[in-house]
Amino acid sequence: MADAATRLATLAEELLGSPLPVRLRAWDGSEAGPAGTGPVLVLRDRRALRRMIWRPGELGLARAWVAGDIDVEGDLYEALDRLSGLIWDRDRESGGGLLAAVRDPRVRGAVAALLRLAGPLPPPKPPAEEVRGRSGGRHSRRRDKQAISHHYDVGNDFYALVLGPSMVYSCAYWTADGTLEDAQRDKLDLIARKLALKEGDRLLDVGCGWGSMAIHAARAYGARVVGITLSREQAAFARKRIAEEGLADRIEIRVQDYRDVPDGPFDAISSIGMAEHVGAVRYREYADILYGLLKPGGRLLNHQISRRPEPDEEAYHVDAFIDAYVFPDGELAPMGRTLTTLEDAGFEVRDVEAIREHYALTLRRWVANLEAEWERAVRLTSPGRARIWRLYMAASAVSFERNRIGVNQFLAVRTPVSGASGLPLRSREWTE
């Protein structure tokens, strides 16, 4: 009988209609697939097959990865790039990817052989890190709070390990020879300058994270800042930082939903990596609320990840791995939809800056931080959680590099009836 790797490679080719793009090593030590120095997909246990048969497509693979049943030896970015055509692209193009293949009568023989190779069903339980027991309507206050807690309340020490001293969890703004800290400082300053912050301005920082934007705005520009978050761990960390900086008289951090902010108007609002959590069903409400919280002439800087438009927008579905393990209920919108929603809410959108290459660089640096402190990261969270973060950040970096997703800064104004936007005639100076 052929070894496990050869059998798996043959079955995969039958199921997927194409050869495996990476070398495969099975639990019995056998190998198959393209030879050379490229990455190797390692199936450490046949449990991985049971997970993937039970949940064909991305979720089954994710469960196997988080549990440690599969791994990659070699360049993880290269492996993800090669496998993307089999997993994510195929899911979009065929309406189900592996699941569609399993249902195809032409490949049922291969499926039966795969079942025999996988061993007895049922599959193992999902890893403990998977989101379960969601309660409340999608993007209700209660469910949003649960989602934010799942993602952010995993320990400030873990985030400090990944993000570095800046504690900024969004796309940095790079120069050719800058450090991560330089790039994050430059991003915060870019936002402050786009908002034209000055001494005494009231800034609302929606989704304030660990307080980095609030601190920069108060310290460098003299702004008075209200930062809101649904994460109690973030809020506690931010308040401690602010006290140590001597800025407690200028910054207030609240555990508060954006729908409950009572004390506008503000001169400016920053929303950095927040809108992805709002959801399509709530995004117009979100834009309306921010518009209402700004004074006439006030500015909004919305920094938001986007996705490519779908041929059929009704068919869009949230990435299964991200939804189950990283950002529960998170949703991405095409850039054009975000712009239109802001305009429908009354904003005048004055500038859109696309910076997706910057996010790929940022994510690669975060992955490097995580890998350099891997044993400590596992101690601070769990092996599964550390594996989740490594996969999601590396896969996201590849997605930004391949233009599957992007990130954009929208500068919008609550332009008064007079039409005076308050912006200079040349708001940006272009360089080659």
Side-chain angles (χ1 to χ4, degrees):
M1 180 179 290
D3 57 53
T6 300
R7 293 166 67 192
L8 280 171
T10 301
L11 291 170
E13 188 168 342
E14 290 183 46
L15 285 167
L16 302 170
S18 60
L20 285 174
V22 296
R23 191 156 183 81
L24 179 69
R25 183 184 306 137
W27 53 88
D28 62 354
S30 60
E31 295 190 13
T37 59
V40 178
L41 181 64
V42 181
L43 274 73
R44 299 193 184 281
D45 195 287
R46 68 176 66 208
R47 285 191 305 265
L49 297 182
R50 297 203 292 277
R51 294 185 191 278
M52 289 185 278
I53 290 169
W54 192 256
R55 281 290 183 270
E58 190 178 338
L59 185 57
L61 280 168
R63 287 174 173 174
W65 173 271
V66 175
D69 294 336
I70 62 174
D71 206 344
V72 169
E73 289 184 5
D75 189 325
L76 178 59
Y77 298 101
E78 183 181 353
L80 290 169
D81 199 24
R82 291 188 187 187
L83 290 168
S84 64
L86 286 180
I87 306 168
W88 298 283
D89 293 346
R90 183 181 290 266
D91 279 352
R92 285 191 294 269
E93 293 168 3
S94 68
L98 293 174
L99 180 59
V102 168
R103 289 172 173 168
D104 189 335
R106 295 173 298 175
V107 297
R108 284 179 184 166
V111 173
L114 193 61
L115 284 167
R116 289 192 294 272
L117 187 60
L121 294 173
K125 292 181 180 180
E129 292 83 2
E130 185 168 314
V131 175
R132 289 188 292 275
R134 304 183 207 196
S135 59
R138 191 177 181 86
H139 296 298
S140 64
R141 284 172 169 79
R142 179 180 180 182
R143 185 152 156 175
D144 279 353
K145 190 170 184 178
Q146 292 171 346
I148 293 298
S149 179
H150 173 87
H151 186 74
Y152 292 103
D153 292 341
V154 298
N156 293 326
D157 289 343
F158 176 76
Y159 275 99
L161 181 153
V162 173
L163 303 179
S166 71
M167 290 299 285
V168 179
Y169 186 32
S170 54
C171 174
Y173 198 62
W174 293 87
T175 57
D177 56 353
T179 67
L180 176 60
E181 292 307 302
D182 293 336
Q184 290 293 16
R185 181 201 62 231
D186 289 349
K187 187 271 299 297
L188 297 177
D189 201 62
L190 176 67
I191 291 171
R193 287 185 284 111
K194 287 182 176 182
L195 291 172
L197 292 180
K198 61 184 184 300
E199 183 75 30
D201 278 353
R202 291 192 76 214
L203 170 68
L204 174 65
D205 188 25
V206 185
C208 65
W210 293 271
S212 298
M213 180 65 204
I215 290 170
H216 185 78
R219 184 174 55 201
Y221 290 86
R224 294 175 295 122
V225 188
V226 172
I228 61 172
T229 176
L230 293 179
S231 167
R232 294 190 178 278
E233 287 198 24
Q234 282 187 335
F237 187 96
R239 288 167 182 152
K240 183 174 183 294
R241 288 179 74 192
I242 289 161
E244 291 171 350
E245 291 275 349
L247 294 170
D249 61 331
R250 286 188 170 270
I251 304 172
E252 178 188 2
I253 300 296
R254 305 172 183 169
V255 178
Q256 187 174 53
D257 193 286
Y258 69 90
R259 288 161 281 200
D260 298 327
V261 177
D263 52 339
F266 293 87
D267 298 285
I269 297 176
S270 53
S271 175
I272 309 169
M274 166 64 187
E276 298 89 334
H277 295 290
V278 171
V281 69
R282 295 284 186 187
Y283 197 76
R284 173 58 193 274
E285 177 188 17
Y286 182 67
D288 286 340
I289 288 171
L290 298 191
Y291 184 86
L293 287 169
L294 272 176
K295 72 174 188 180
R299 299 184 189 184
L300 164 70
L301 192 290
N302 181 63
H303 177 116
Q304 180 175 349
I305 299 173
S306 65
R307 61 175 172 84
R308 302 294 297 170
E310 298 282 352
D312 176 11
E313 280 293 321
E314 295 299 319
Y316 167 71
H317 63 276
V318 177
D319 179 284
F321 166 60
I322 299 293
D323 187 55
Y325 287 100
V326 185
F327 291 108
D329 295 337
E331 296 177 62
L332 302 182
M335 179 175 67
R337 181 184 296 175
T338 298
L339 191 152
T340 298
T341 303
L342 291 172
E343 289 188 324
D344 287 344
F347 285 104
E348 180 187 8
V349 178
R350 293 300 301 254
D351 186 81
V352 180
E353 185 173 3
I355 54 174
R356 67 175 175 82
E357 293 89 349
H358 293 258
Y359 219 153
L361 292 170
T362 306
L363 285 155
R364 282 180 176 263
R365 197 61 57 87
W366 289 342
V367 171
N369 287 347
L370 176 62
E371 291 176 342
E373 296 282 353
W374 183 259
E375 292 184 3
R376 182 166 175 257
V378 169
R379 290 196 303 270
L380 288 171
T381 54
S382 68
R385 182 73 63 190
R387 290 173 64 80
I388 289 166
W389 274 73
R390 182 171 179 245
L391 178 61
Y392 120 74
M393 292 191 298
S396 296
V398 172
S399 292
F400 281 110
E401 289 164 352
R402 297 294 180 263
N403 192 27
R404 297 187 184 106
I405 54 177
V407 61
N408 310 283
Q409 289 191 351
F410 298 83
L411 178 62
V413 182
R414 179 174 174 170
T415 305
V417 175
S418 68
S421 70
L423 273 78
L425 289 176
R426 296 189 179 186
S427 57
R428 268 207 260 167
E429 293 295 332
W430 292 97
T431 58
E432 295 183 358

